[in-house]
Amino acid sequence: MCPARLVLLPPGSRERLAGERVAQVYATPGAEEPAAGLAEELGVRLTVVPELSHAEAESVVREIADQHRGETVVVVAPELDLGITLPAVIEHEGDGWSLEPSPNEVTLASYEQAAERFRDSLRRTPNAYMIELFDLIDAHLRDGGSVLELGSGTGEDAVELERRGHRVRRTDAAGSFVEMIRADGHDADRLNALTDDFGGPYDLVFADAVFVHFTPAQLATVLRKSHQAAQLLAFTTREGEGDEWSNRHLDLPRHFTLWEEQSLRELLAACGWTVLAWQRGQTPIGGWFYVLARRT
């Protein structure tokens, strides 16, 4: 029997829908309006199901799955008591279901497997655009400052920041990178920017080539958490449209979100950040943005 594929979304979300052929949209009470808009956009029927209480969530999801074997449907609800965080994709077959890993989770798994290969793929010195971003950080933290680095990776950026007199808390969501940094003689913490508390306060949140792995909704979450943690934010991310999967460098899949300048500026403003400096740089794999912002 072919499994049913269920895309579970909070109201207003469009995540995890790329490439899906949706047969129908379901919604719980309170989510009808955004679900109706999504159903109209997709050109499919909307059905409102009863509110999913603690005892009913699994049975209602099973009933939906039984009607849509071999199809993909969307369920829009503020929350679903299935022990998973929305948005999510599950495949339901018979009496059980399996959770499909998110693009971010797939990307993290690739880094876990190939941290040393990733280190070997990197250039050893920062490019001119990164040097300019480091100089801007120095100008705003003249006496040195406390820095939370998200996605420290192999650790080269933290070494440069410390060489310039700043105090860096190295973190990464991939345990392979955390162990690599520790083996190099530095303290490092395992921290998932999407799910973990940032602590602080810090003077600066720094993220080089990290935001590129977040969807727009995920990046909004991280920007708001950064806003609570520090007065300044410095980051780099890819320029372009849409998103892509790539096996470049690692021969393993990684997911990238590309940004147009206006859309990224609008998201920063909506999350409470005022841009202080915005530089565009060209690299062999395309354009990058190098950004410094201050908490509004």
Side-chain angles (χ1 to χ4, degrees):
M1 181 183 296
C2 293
R5 185 174 175 84
L6 280 68
V7 182
L8 312 177
L9 299 177
S13 174
R14 297 293 191 275
E15 287 195 40
R16 311 295 296 272
L17 283 176
E20 300 285 2
R21 296 183 62 183
V22 177
Q24 191 167 339
V25 174
Y26 290 85
T28 60
E32 298 100 322
E33 185 174 345
L38 179 59
E40 182 177 1
E41 176 185 324
L42 297 173
V44 299
R45 185 162 61 95
L46 170 68
T47 299
V48 179
V49 297
E51 187 170 355
L52 304 186
S53 67
H54 176 80
E56 295 170 342
E58 173 64 24
S59 62
V60 171
V61 167
R62 186 187 304 116
E63 289 175 8
I64 293 172
D66 287 342
Q67 297 176 47
H68 293 280
R69 296 298 175 193
E71 295 181 326
T72 297
V73 297
V74 174
V75 180
V76 181
E79 59 183 15
L80 287 173
D81 198 352
L82 296 173
I84 57 179
T85 302
L86 304 186
V89 176
I90 64 173
E91 288 198 347
H92 205 292
E93 187 171 11
D95 292 331
W97 52 267
S98 59
L99 179 65
E100 181 179 285
S102 70
N104 186 260
E105 290 168 335
V106 173
T107 300
L108 276 178
S110 294
Y111 283 125
E112 291 285 12
Q113 295 178 60
E116 289 292 346
R117 200 183 317 164
F118 181 72
R119 170 180 264 180
D120 292 342
S121 75
L122 296 179
R123 59 182 297 163
R124 296 303 179 188
T125 57
N127 63 32
Y129 308 109
M130 280 303 302
I131 292 173
E132 183 173 344
L133 184 59
F134 286 136
D135 289 344
L136 285 167
I137 291 170
D138 291 345
H140 286 82
L141 300 176
R142 294 183 183 278
D143 298 324
S146 59
V147 179
L148 170 64
E149 183 181 30
L150 302 176
S152 295
T154 59
E156 281 83 357
D157 286 335
V159 170
E160 177 63 20
L161 287 165
E162 288 181 336
R163 187 187 70 79
R164 292 166 175 258
H166 308 297
R167 305 179 305 280
V168 182
R169 180 190 175 197
R170 295 163 169 83
T171 73
D172 204 285
S176 56
F177 284 136
V178 171
E179 293 307 314
M180 177 183 290
I181 292 169
R182 290 173 178 170
D184 290 339
H186 305 286
D187 291 334
D189 298 318
R190 192 163 186 178
L191 185 148
N192 188 311
L194 298 175
T195 59
D196 295 335
D197 183 74
F198 286 3
Y202 310 94
D203 296 310
L204 170 76
V205 171
F206 178 84
D208 180 17
V210 177
F211 291 176
V212 71
H213 295 310
F214 298 145
T215 66
Q218 290 172 336
L219 182 54
T221 295
V222 174
L223 290 175
R224 293 187 182 103
K225 292 170 74 171
S226 299
H227 188 273
Q228 295 177 337
Q231 294 186 353
L232 291 171
L233 170 69
F235 68 92
T236 70
T237 197
R238 290 271 305 277
E239 179 185 18
E241 296 183 39
D243 64 304
E244 66 180 26
W245 286 94
S246 173
N247 285 19
R248 184 176 50 250
H249 300 316
L250 302 187
D251 294 325
L252 291 167
R254 291 182 293 159
H255 184 260
F256 296 86
T257 297
L258 312 182
W259 283 94
E260 296 179 278
E261 180 173 343
Q262 186 60 35
S263 297
L264 185 53
R265 283 183 178 271
E266 289 173 357
L267 181 61
L268 284 164
C271 293
W273 293 102
T274 298
V275 172
L276 299 176
W278 190 290
Q279 177 73 15
R280 181 187 179 277
Q282 190 66 31
T283 74
I285 62 171
W288 283 75
F289 295 129
Y290 300 77
V291 180
L292 179 69
R294 181 187 298 278
R295 185 165 60 196
T296 302

